Amino acid sequence: MTHPVMFEDDDPYLVRLREVALAFPDAVERVAHGRPGFRAGAGRFFAWYGGSTKAPGAERVVHDHALLVLPDDSERAALAEDPRAFAPAYLAPAGWTGLDLSAAGTVPPEAVDWREVAELLDASYRRVAGVRRTARLDAGEGPGAVREDVRRHRAGGTVAAKGP
């Protein structure tokens, strides 16, 4: 059964997300289940665009402008406190977390903290990319404007500027 396409190719959030996600070593985009996903080469997905959630006994809530990532445990706990975060249907049990980039339509694409998005993508990519791709990322490949900020952040430093 073919899934219906659930995104617009010229969606400004998706356009910007593509720029960042496809800058990772060997990253490719693939539409699956009607949504664009980003993979580390032919390997596993490290991000999805758009998703939904459904609590037991509640209606399904669609998040068309959301980023789904596979964060590590500490990042997942921090994201759980963020009001934009949600547990994506089907993927949450495997550790995935959703982040509504538009904050339910109140944040335009140009106001999104794209450095934060890049950091989330970086952490998710590292979980699935394998040793060789991660080494390439550490050697300088990938979304360059974010790379040094991610290193400083992981070392306990601060990140000042917005947008890669």
Side-chain angles (χ1 to χ4, degrees):
M1 176 172 131
T2 303
H3 287 274
V5 172
M6 295 183 277
F7 67 98
E8 296 292 326
D9 217 33
D10 61 351
D11 174 340
Y13 297 92
L14 176 57
V15 169
R16 185 68 178 108
L17 179 61
R18 275 186 182 124
E19 290 175 13
V20 180
L22 294 176
F24 286 87
D26 299 326
V28 295
E29 181 178 346
R30 178 171 166 236
V31 175
H33 307 287
R35 299 261 181 207
F38 300 93
R39 296 169 65 151
R44 294 175 47 200
F45 285 95
F46 68 93
W48 290 92
Y49 180 70
S52 64
T53 188
K54 183 175 189 247
E59 284 191 41
R60 179 175 166 246
V61 177
V62 177
H63 300 274
D64 287 325
H65 306 293
L67 169 64
L68 308 185
V69 291
L70 186 59
D72 63 30
D73 291 338
S74 64
E75 288 172 323
R76 189 177 310 107
L79 283 171
E81 302 298 320
D82 191 317
R84 302 168 299 164
F86 64 95
Y90 307 107
L91 296 175
W96 289 78
T97 298
L99 188 69
D100 186 347
L101 298 176
S102 72
T106 63
V107 177
E110 60 275 5
V112 171
D113 184 348
W114 291 103
R115 281 200 196 260
E116 174 190 37
V117 168
E119 287 179 17
L120 292 169
L121 289 169
D122 182 89
S124 191
Y125 179 87
R126 289 172 184 279
R127 298 225 25 220
V128 304
V131 175
R132 288 189 181 127
R133 286 189 181 101
T134 301
R136 288 173 53 198
L137 187 63
D138 290 338
E141 290 187 48
V146 173
R147 205 172 32 257
E148 187 58 35
D149 288 339
V150 170
R151 284 188 196 133
R152 270 191 308 227
H153 174 72
R154 289 179 183 209
T158 59
V159 176
K162 243 184 165 181

